[in-house]
Amino acid sequence: MLVPSGSEQPDLEVLLIEDNLAEARLLQELLKDSLSRQFAVTHVTRLEAAIIQLNNAQFDVALLDLTLPDSDGLASLDALIHQVSSLPIVVLTGTNDDELAIDAVRRGAQDYLVKRQVSLDVLVRSIRYAIERKQTAKALWEINETLELRVEERTVALEAANKSLSQEIESRESIQNRLELAQQAGKIGTFEWDVETNLVTWSRELEALYGLAAGSFGRSQNQWLATIYPEDRPPVQAEIKRWHRLARGKAMPLGQKLDLEFRITYPDTNIHWIAVKGNIFADTSGHPTRTIGIHMDITEKKQLEAQFLRAQRLESLGTLASGIAHDLNNVLTPILAIAQLLPLKLTDLDGHTRNMLEILESSAHRGAGLIKQILSFAQGIEGKHVVIQPTHLLKDIQKIVQQTLPKSIKIDVDMPADLWTVLGDMTQLHQVLMNLCVNARDAMPQGGTISIQATNRSIEETFARTHLDAQVGNYVEITVTDTGNGIQPQLLHRIFDPFFTTKEIGKGTGLGLSAVLGIIKNHNGFLDVQSQVQQGTQIHVYIPANQTPIVPKQDEPELLSGQQQLILVVDDEIAISKLVKTTLETYNYRVLTANNGAEAISIYANHRDAIDGVVIDLMMPVMDGLTTVIALHQINPNLPVLAISGLNSVEAIKRAKRLGCQYFLPKPFTTSDLLRNLHDCTSSKPV
């Protein structure tokens, strides 16, 4: 049911098999928030009910929990595949087990996701690619079946050679006509390899597949082998020798098929991927005489696989980074709060001590900035997106890099006057371009040229199909080009991995390009990279165009102290709850504190009429913040809640607001951020 982008898309029919009602509700809420596709979810709690649904309706994909009341483990997966083999299945489980994940994929699952680690983006992408991979596998299976059918037809014709030569010729012509149609329809070429003479007949289409004119390969395999990528050539040669020895045997080996995948170098030096599939054919006595098969260009398939694997790797690393960032934000919050509170509490500090506190506060801010940089590639951060004219951004970047980069590096900037606007965070996009320029500088230690070019770009379906995160539509394309050392082909797929760097120790953290990728994905854009060793690198940044007019920036509202409102502060980090209490009391609030959700509910039940608002951490042991908020709102649906969290992800914010937290404040926060958000939160309390 996947249809081309740009046309009206029907709902994707999703069969959700999950016995935990809370987990099922969460997954349904996640899919409800998707802006890219609409999902029609049918929920069942038992395997038996799922099979009944599959017998009565068609589904595009199934989301399967491995622990069900009437089935357990991979037996549920086996039962569904047995029932409907063509159904894409995504396993959802609470068990983070690599061996179980590999076993599930081997037995037919299209993906394996761990509950509580699944964001909307991950879930939608997994569903999309589960369907696409299943469709691709089906298409390849149909091609293989067609080939085997043609092989069978040819075998029948050869066996009948002693009966009727005319029938043999007619059958050969029929098969040849069908193969020619197949070659015209796709990137396929045929070959025939004589076992006795070791000579090969290549079709015109096959040689064209390699970017060569008809007759370029001759009758031997030498010219063909020379086109194979050097690293892939030895295993291909070994397999060809093994296959030839096999084919020279006295009897045709049953079930043996030639199956190869390798890279080739085109005459224009571009790299393509080729798949070879073939079968052994015998004469009427069963003696092998030849191998007949096809070559297929699978470059597009390999590109999508590489992008998908990179996306999976980054998602795993992003989950790890999110947990680390949460803990670090909890560490930085009291440091920042103390640095801001001490000057208010100790009014007789000397200049040196005040300077030390300013350094402490500045260092805390820098630490928070580094954490945001890590999270920008992990799961996205919620920034303030406004309408931006990229021309202003590029002029500012040009001025900065010209002043800071060595004189041996020339800066060229080219942009049209009618460049489209984009919706984004100016600071983050500024960071993207600065990181790319710094990387370009490092690639040119002896000097060179950095070219920054911007243009309006309309993405079509053909281009979008070969780029994992691309969608059909209008984009602003910004290309940063250097004339430096270039990137080795084997390293190109790793340059956006966090902490990966080819620079010397102390000269790079490996976070720059990871942050670039995270920021651009958070802007619903994507990246494309081309590089050749000793010739330089081009990084294309695509940001969706926006037609909204630019609105003048409004002044920040005046910061107000409290009016003796009573606030309940809930955080399992005792240092944070104490410092928030001290800060609020300094600014004319009264404060009660709780260190877990159960304690918070008890305190609120005893002071319901007096408490004016709640400041609560979302991630706490035993009873987390969201569960506590739900319980508090059952007591008082109108209770104002300000959520705080060390995990500043888009999904965390969405879930918090959906469950009644009117305001969200990421850690570490400044005193002004806390007071402003709390004032707005409590001021919106219904009368």
Side-chain angles (χ1 to χ4, degrees):
M1 288 182 64
L2 286 178
V3 299
S5 299
S7 59
E8 185 175 349
Q9 296 181 324
D11 288 354
L12 283 177
E13 297 290 342
V14 179
L15 178 60
L16 174 58
I17 311 166
E18 170 62 71
D19 65 316
N20 187 311
L21 298 182
E23 296 285 357
R25 177 64 182 276
L26 177 59
L27 290 169
Q28 289 173 309
E29 289 292 334
L30 280 176
L31 291 175
K32 188 186 300 182
D33 287 341
S34 173
L35 300 178
S36 58
R37 291 302 301 262
Q38 295 296 316
F39 297 89
V41 181
T42 300
H43 174 223
V44 297
T45 59
R46 303 173 67 89
L47 180 63
E48 180 184 5
I51 293 175
I52 294 173
Q53 287 289 339
L54 291 172
N55 287 332
N56 296 328
Q58 289 187 343
F59 294 90
D60 294 292
V61 67
L63 304 180
L64 172 65
D65 179 28
L66 291 184
T67 305
L68 299 171
D70 57 343
S71 180
D72 189 60
L74 296 179
S76 304
L77 175 65
D78 294 338
L80 289 182
I81 293 175
H82 178 74
Q83 188 70 21
V84 183
S85 61
S86 62
L87 178 68
I89 300 173
V90 176
V91 170
L92 279 166
T93 177
T95 305
N96 192 359
D97 186 331
D98 290 342
E99 292 185 3
L100 180 61
I102 293 171
D103 199 10
V105 172
R106 284 176 177 169
R107 292 167 78 159
Q110 297 302 313
D111 207 346
Y112 182 98
L113 301 179
V114 180
K115 296 177 183 178
R116 303 289 185 182
Q117 296 180 6
V118 178
S119 66
L120 172 61
D121 290 341
V122 171
L123 183 59
V124 172
R125 188 184 301 114
S126 178
I127 290 174
R128 172 186 170 191
Y129 285 104
I131 296 171
E132 290 184 357
R133 284 197 301 272
K134 197 71 175 182
Q135 290 176 342
T136 302
K138 182 181 178 182
L140 289 175
W141 179 83
E142 290 175 349
I143 290 173
N144 191 55
E145 287 294 306
T146 302
L147 178 60
E148 291 183 357
L149 177 62
R150 292 168 184 152
V151 166
E152 183 180 349
E153 291 175 353
R154 187 157 187 164
T155 303
V156 171
L158 289 171
E159 290 175 350
N162 59 341
K163 295 181 181 180
S164 173
L165 180 60
S166 61
Q167 290 180 3
E168 159 71 7
I169 295 173
E170 180 181 349
S171 179
R172 286 175 63 92
E173 289 178 348
S174 173
I175 294 172
Q176 187 63 34
N177 289 337
R178 294 183 184 184
L179 286 174
E180 287 178 359
L181 289 174
Q183 291 169 165
Q184 294 170 6
K187 297 181 178 181
I188 297 175
T190 60
F191 71 94
E192 188 170 316
W193 178 10
D194 191 287
V195 170
E196 297 297 331
T197 65
N198 201 26
L199 297 178
V200 184
T201 301
W202 317 89
S203 70
R204 295 190 309 271
E205 291 79 9
L206 186 146
E207 290 173 309
L209 205 65
Y210 285 72
L212 301 172
S216 297
F217 284 160
R219 296 296 305 280
S220 72
Q221 297 175 358
N222 295 334
Q223 290 89 340
W224 164 63
L225 286 170
T227 65
I228 297 177
Y229 198 71
E231 293 180 7
D232 296 353
R233 197 176 300 153
V236 171
Q237 289 175 313
E239 177 62 16
I240 291 298
K241 289 180 181 178
R242 187 196 71 83
W243 183 262
H244 192 233
R245 287 196 302 269
L246 188 68
R248 292 291 296 270
K250 294 182 179 180
M252 182 175 67
L254 297 176
Q256 293 287 337
K257 296 182 184 295
L258 181 63
D259 194 349
L260 295 169
E261 286 189 3
F262 51 85
R263 293 167 291 178
I264 64 170
T265 305
Y266 253 43
D268 61 3
T269 71
N270 284 332
I271 303 298
H272 285 239
W273 275 91
I274 297 293
V276 176
K277 297 185 181 296
N279 288 66
I280 295 177
F281 292 89
D283 57 20
T284 54
S285 64
H287 182 71
T289 59
R290 68 196 63 203
T291 295
I292 299 175
I294 62 170
H295 287 215
M296 294 183 292
D297 189 320
I298 57 171
T299 305
E300 183 175 312
K301 171 178 172 285
K302 285 291 185 179
Q303 288 173 342
L304 289 174
E305 284 179 354
Q307 292 182 61
F308 180 70
L309 290 173
R310 186 180 71 190
Q312 284 187 319
R313 184 168 62 252
L314 289 178
E315 286 165 7
S316 299
L317 290 170
T319 301
L320 172 63
S322 296
I324 295 173
H326 171 263
D327 292 339
L328 288 177
N329 281 331
N330 276 335
V331 171
L332 288 174
T333 298
I335 295 174
L336 186 58
I338 290 173
Q340 294 178 326
L341 276 175
L342 282 179
L344 298 176
K345 295 291 185 179
L346 306 174
T347 56
D348 58 346
L349 294 175
D350 57 44
H352 177 71
T353 304
R354 289 185 180 275
N355 185 51
M356 296 288 285
L357 288 174
E358 289 174 1
I359 293 174
L360 180 65
E361 182 179 350
S362 176
S363 297
H365 280 297
R366 288 178 59 192
L370 180 60
I371 293 169
K372 286 183 179 179
Q373 191 179 41
I374 295 173
L375 286 177
S376 67
F377 78 80
Q379 292 183 350
I381 56 176
E382 186 74 31
K384 295 181 180 178
H385 287 197
V386 297
V387 179
I388 298 171
Q389 172 50 256
T391 304
H392 305 318
L393 176 64
L394 294 172
K395 288 180 179 178
D396 187 37
I397 291 293
Q398 181 181 16
K399 183 186 301 182
I400 293 174
V401 295
Q402 283 178 338
Q403 292 174 349
T404 57
L405 296 191
K407 299 298 182 183
S408 59
I409 295 179
K410 180 184 177 183
I411 309 297
D412 286 336
V413 177
D414 181 21
M415 52 190 167
D418 60 344
L419 200 61
W420 292 329
T421 60
V422 299
L423 188 65
D425 185 307
M426 177 69 85
T427 302
Q428 292 182 357
L429 295 180
H430 190 282
Q431 178 188 346
V432 165
L433 295 177
M434 283 302 301
N435 284 0
L436 294 181
C437 288
V438 168
N439 265 34
R441 176 206 64 188
D442 294 341
M444 301 184 294
Q446 306 304 322
T449 301
I450 298 177
S451 300
I452 305 175
Q453 185 178 29
T455 185
N456 298 325
R457 177 77 180 273
S458 294
I459 299 299
E460 298 178 350
E461 177 66 27
T462 303
F463 183 89
R465 231 183 4 248
T466 58
H467 293 74
L468 190 63
D469 296 313
Q471 300 289 336
V472 172
N474 293 329
Y475 289 79
V476 172
E477 177 187 1
I478 302 175
T479 304
V480 178
T481 305
D482 65 62
T483 56
N485 299 326
I487 304 169
Q488 298 287 344
Q490 65 270 25
L491 300 179
L492 194 60
H493 71 287
R494 297 192 61 195
I495 63 173
F496 293 106
D497 286 3
F499 308 110
F500 173 78
T501 179
T502 58
K503 300 174 185 177
E504 297 177 12
I505 295 176
K507 293 188 176 181
T509 63
L511 287 176
L513 288 180
S514 300
V516 167
L517 178 63
I519 290 171
I520 295 305
K521 290 180 70 173
N522 194 37
H523 284 72
N524 299 316
F526 64 98
L527 301 171
D528 189 25
V529 183
Q530 287 95 38
S531 184
Q532 291 190 0
V533 177
Q534 302 306 324
Q535 295 187 34
T537 301
Q538 279 191 339
I539 298 185
H540 304 267
V541 179
Y542 295 87
I543 307 171
N546 183 272
Q547 306 301 325
T548 307
I550 296 178
V551 179
K553 185 178 179 180
Q554 297 180 350
D555 294 334
E556 292 284 350
E558 182 182 355
L559 181 63
L560 298 176
S561 296
Q563 298 178 346
Q564 283 294 299
Q565 297 100 320
L566 181 60
I567 305 299
L568 174 60
V569 176
V570 189
D571 199 309
D572 62 304
E573 295 281 344
I574 297 176
I576 293 178
S577 62
K578 285 183 177 179
L579 283 168
V580 171
K581 179 178 187 294
T582 302
T583 300
L584 293 181
E585 288 177 343
T586 302
Y587 287 90
N588 202 30
Y589 285 94
R590 294 176 297 132
V591 179
L592 297 173
T593 60
N595 298 126
N596 57 66
E599 185 181 352
I601 294 171
S602 175
I603 291 175
Y604 184 75
N606 293 330
H607 301 83
R608 172 179 177 178
D609 295 333
I611 292 177
D612 297 289
V614 175
V615 178
I616 185 168
D617 184 28
L618 292 183
M619 298 186 67
M620 296 185 296
V622 184
M623 180 183 289
D624 62 28
L626 291 178
T627 304
T628 305
V629 170
I630 293 173
L632 291 173
H633 278 162
Q634 288 178 343
I635 302 174
N636 179 6
N638 297 321
L639 177 65
V641 176
L642 169 59
I644 58 176
S645 177
L647 184 59
N648 181 19
S649 72
V650 175
E651 285 305 313
I653 296 170
K654 285 184 177 179
R655 289 180 63 196
K657 291 186 176 179
R658 187 165 59 244
L659 294 176
C661 302
Q662 294 92 333
Y663 293 85
F664 180 89
L665 185 59
K667 297 176 182 177
F669 43 78
T670 65
T671 299
S672 61
D673 288 336
L674 174 62
L675 294 175
R676 183 184 307 111
N677 279 273
L678 184 58
H679 173 267
D680 292 343
C681 177
T682 55
S683 297
S684 64
K685 180 180 177 181
V687 179

PDB file of all heavy atoms in Angstrom, residues 11-25:
ATOM      1  N   ASP A  11      -4.419   5.390   4.404  1.00  0.00           N
ATOM      2  CA  ASP A  11      -3.943   4.960   5.702  1.00  0.00           C
ATOM      3  C   ASP A  11      -3.179   3.641   5.567  1.00  0.00           C
ATOM      4  O   ASP A  11      -3.519   2.786   4.751  1.00  0.00           O
ATOM      5  CB  ASP A  11      -5.120   4.740   6.656  1.00  0.00           C
ATOM      6  CG  ASP A  11      -5.754   6.060   7.077  1.00  0.00           C
ATOM      7  OD1 ASP A  11      -5.195   7.105   6.712  1.00  0.00           O
ATOM      8  OD2 ASP A  11      -6.792   6.018   7.742  1.00  0.00           O
ATOM      9  N   LEU A  12      -2.126   3.494   6.377  1.00  0.00           N
ATOM     10  CA  LEU A  12      -1.452   2.205   6.479  1.00  0.00           C
ATOM     11  C   LEU A  12      -2.173   1.379   7.541  1.00  0.00           C
ATOM     12  O   LEU A  12      -2.361   1.825   8.666  1.00  0.00           O
ATOM     13  CB  LEU A  12       0.015   2.396   6.860  1.00  0.00           C
ATOM     14  CG  LEU A  12       0.949   2.851   5.741  1.00  0.00           C
ATOM     15  CD1 LEU A  12       2.346   3.071   6.282  1.00  0.00           C
ATOM     16  CD2 LEU A  12       0.986   1.811   4.637  1.00  0.00           C
ATOM     17  N   GLU A  13      -2.581   0.177   7.172  1.00  0.00           N
ATOM     18  CA  GLU A  13      -3.306  -0.698   8.088  1.00  0.00           C
ATOM     19  C   GLU A  13      -2.290  -1.442   8.958  1.00  0.00           C
ATOM     20  O   GLU A  13      -1.480  -2.227   8.468  1.00  0.00           O
ATOM     21  CB  GLU A  13      -4.169  -1.690   7.309  1.00  0.00           C
ATOM     22  CG  GLU A  13      -5.261  -1.031   6.475  1.00  0.00           C
ATOM     23  CD  GLU A  13      -6.361  -0.433   7.354  1.00  0.00           C
ATOM     24  OE1 GLU A  13      -6.446  -0.821   8.537  1.00  0.00           O
ATOM     25  OE2 GLU A  13      -7.133   0.397   6.849  1.00  0.00           O
ATOM     26  N   VAL A  14      -2.334  -1.187  10.267  1.00  0.00           N
ATOM     27  CA  VAL A  14      -1.373  -1.756  11.203  1.00  0.00           C
ATOM     28  C   VAL A  14      -2.107  -2.695  12.161  1.00  0.00           C
ATOM     29  O   VAL A  14      -3.105  -2.314  12.771  1.00  0.00           O
ATOM     30  CB  VAL A  14      -0.657  -0.650  12.010  1.00  0.00           C
ATOM     31  CG1 VAL A  14       0.331  -1.272  12.988  1.00  0.00           C
ATOM     32  CG2 VAL A  14       0.044   0.319  11.080  1.00  0.00           C
ATOM     33  N   LEU A  15      -1.602  -3.932  12.270  1.00  0.00           N
ATOM     34  CA  LEU A  15      -2.135  -4.885  13.239  1.00  0.00           C
ATOM     35  C   LEU A  15      -1.203  -4.882  14.456  1.00  0.00           C
ATOM     36  O   LEU A  15      -0.052  -5.301  14.369  1.00  0.00           O
ATOM     37  CB  LEU A  15      -2.216  -6.289  12.634  1.00  0.00           C
ATOM     38  CG  LEU A  15      -2.726  -7.383  13.577  1.00  0.00           C
ATOM     39  CD1 LEU A  15      -4.127  -7.077  14.072  1.00  0.00           C
ATOM     40  CD2 LEU A  15      -2.682  -8.752  12.896  1.00  0.00           C
ATOM     41  N   LEU A  16      -1.682  -4.376  15.572  1.00  0.00           N
ATOM     42  CA  LEU A  16      -0.905  -4.281  16.808  1.00  0.00           C
ATOM     43  C   LEU A  16      -1.283  -5.450  17.718  1.00  0.00           C
ATOM     44  O   LEU A  16      -2.433  -5.552  18.151  1.00  0.00           O
ATOM     45  CB  LEU A  16      -1.174  -2.944  17.505  1.00  0.00           C
ATOM     46  CG  LEU A  16      -0.541  -2.744  18.887  1.00  0.00           C
ATOM     47  CD1 LEU A  16       0.974  -2.881  18.818  1.00  0.00           C
ATOM     48  CD2 LEU A  16      -0.933  -1.398  19.468  1.00  0.00           C
ATOM     49  N   ILE A  17      -0.308  -6.320  18.002  1.00  0.00           N
ATOM     50  CA  ILE A  17      -0.543  -7.506  18.835  1.00  0.00           C
ATOM     51  C   ILE A  17       0.204  -7.287  20.143  1.00  0.00           C
ATOM     52  O   ILE A  17       1.418  -7.500  20.227  1.00  0.00           O
ATOM     53  CB  ILE A  17      -0.060  -8.780  18.114  1.00  0.00           C
ATOM     54  CG1 ILE A  17      -0.613  -8.820  16.680  1.00  0.00           C
ATOM     55  CG2 ILE A  17      -0.467 -10.024  18.888  1.00  0.00           C
ATOM     56  CD1 ILE A  17       0.057  -9.842  15.807  1.00  0.00           C
ATOM     57  N   GLU A  18      -0.487  -6.837  21.177  1.00  0.00           N
ATOM     58  CA  GLU A  18       0.134  -6.419  22.439  1.00  0.00           C
ATOM     59  C   GLU A  18      -0.874  -6.617  23.561  1.00  0.00           C
ATOM     60  O   GLU A  18      -1.976  -6.066  23.530  1.00  0.00           O
ATOM     61  CB  GLU A  18       0.544  -4.951  22.330  1.00  0.00           C
ATOM     62  CG  GLU A  18       0.978  -4.289  23.622  1.00  0.00           C
ATOM     63  CD  GLU A  18       2.211  -4.940  24.207  1.00  0.00           C
ATOM     64  OE1 GLU A  18       3.297  -4.764  23.634  1.00  0.00           O
ATOM     65  OE2 GLU A  18       2.059  -5.634  25.239  1.00  0.00           O
ATOM     66  N   ASP A  19      -0.504  -7.430  24.566  1.00  0.00           N
ATOM     67  CA  ASP A  19      -1.445  -7.697  25.650  1.00  0.00           C
ATOM     68  C   ASP A  19      -1.386  -6.646  26.752  1.00  0.00           C
ATOM     69  O   ASP A  19      -2.306  -6.547  27.563  1.00  0.00           O
ATOM     70  CB  ASP A  19      -1.186  -9.084  26.246  1.00  0.00           C
ATOM     71  CG  ASP A  19       0.184  -9.170  26.916  1.00  0.00           C
ATOM     72  OD1 ASP A  19       1.155  -8.672  26.309  1.00  0.00           O
ATOM     73  OD2 ASP A  19       0.281  -9.724  28.021  1.00  0.00           O
ATOM     74  N   ASN A  20      -0.321  -5.853  26.810  1.00  0.00           N
ATOM     75  CA  ASN A  20      -0.204  -4.788  27.812  1.00  0.00           C
ATOM     76  C   ASN A  20      -0.959  -3.558  27.302  1.00  0.00           C
ATOM     77  O   ASN A  20      -0.534  -2.908  26.344  1.00  0.00           O
ATOM     78  CB  ASN A  20       1.271  -4.453  28.051  1.00  0.00           C
ATOM     79  CG  ASN A  20       1.453  -3.471  29.199  1.00  0.00           C
ATOM     80  OD1 ASN A  20       0.788  -2.435  29.248  1.00  0.00           O
ATOM     81  ND2 ASN A  20       2.357  -3.779  30.106  1.00  0.00           N
ATOM     82  N   LEU A  21      -2.071  -3.244  27.932  1.00  0.00           N
ATOM     83  CA  LEU A  21      -2.927  -2.167  27.425  1.00  0.00           C
ATOM     84  C   LEU A  21      -2.234  -0.817  27.480  1.00  0.00           C
ATOM     85  O   LEU A  21      -2.422   0.033  26.600  1.00  0.00           O
ATOM     86  CB  LEU A  21      -4.236  -2.127  28.221  1.00  0.00           C
ATOM     87  CG  LEU A  21      -5.099  -3.393  28.130  1.00  0.00           C
ATOM     88  CD1 LEU A  21      -6.387  -3.211  28.924  1.00  0.00           C
ATOM     89  CD2 LEU A  21      -5.423  -3.708  26.673  1.00  0.00           C
ATOM     90  N   ALA A  22      -1.410  -0.594  28.507  1.00  0.00           N
ATOM     91  CA  ALA A  22      -0.699   0.684  28.607  1.00  0.00           C
ATOM     92  C   ALA A  22       0.307   0.836  27.471  1.00  0.00           C
ATOM     93  O   ALA A  22       0.420   1.903  26.855  1.00  0.00           O
ATOM     94  CB  ALA A  22       0.013   0.787  29.961  1.00  0.00           C
ATOM     95  N   GLU A  23       1.048  -0.235  27.182  1.00  0.00           N
ATOM     96  CA  GLU A  23       2.011  -0.183  26.081  1.00  0.00           C
ATOM     97  C   GLU A  23       1.292   0.019  24.751  1.00  0.00           C
ATOM     98  O   GLU A  23       1.745   0.778  23.887  1.00  0.00           O
ATOM     99  CB  GLU A  23       2.827  -1.482  26.031  1.00  0.00           C
ATOM    100  CG  GLU A  23       3.706  -1.725  27.242  1.00  0.00           C
ATOM    101  CD  GLU A  23       4.946  -0.852  27.236  1.00  0.00           C
ATOM    102  OE1 GLU A  23       5.139  -0.103  26.256  1.00  0.00           O
ATOM    103  OE2 GLU A  23       5.708  -0.910  28.212  1.00  0.00           O
ATOM    104  N   ALA A  24       0.179  -0.672  24.577  1.00  0.00           N
ATOM    105  CA  ALA A  24      -0.581  -0.537  23.337  1.00  0.00           C
ATOM    106  C   ALA A  24      -1.089   0.890  23.158  1.00  0.00           C
ATOM    107  O   ALA A  24      -1.038   1.456  22.054  1.00  0.00           O
ATOM    108  CB  ALA A  24      -1.757  -1.515  23.328  1.00  0.00           C
ATOM    109  N   ARG A  25      -1.584   1.483  24.265  1.00  0.00           N
ATOM    110  CA  ARG A  25      -2.089   2.857  24.180  1.00  0.00           C
ATOM    111  C   ARG A  25      -0.964   3.827  23.800  1.00  0.00           C
ATOM    112  O   ARG A  25      -1.158   4.742  22.989  1.00  0.00           O
ATOM    113  CB  ARG A  25      -2.694   3.251  25.531  1.00  0.00           C
ATOM    114  CG  ARG A  25      -3.198   4.690  25.578  1.00  0.00           C
ATOM    115  CD  ARG A  25      -4.350   4.913  24.602  1.00  0.00           C
ATOM    116  NE  ARG A  25      -4.806   6.287  24.604  1.00  0.00           N
ATOM    117  CZ  ARG A  25      -5.687   6.769  25.480  1.00  0.00           C
ATOM    118  NH1 ARG A  25      -6.222   5.962  26.390  1.00  0.00           N
ATOM    119  NH2 ARG A  25      -6.060   8.025  25.424  1.00  0.00           N
TER     120      ARG A  25
END
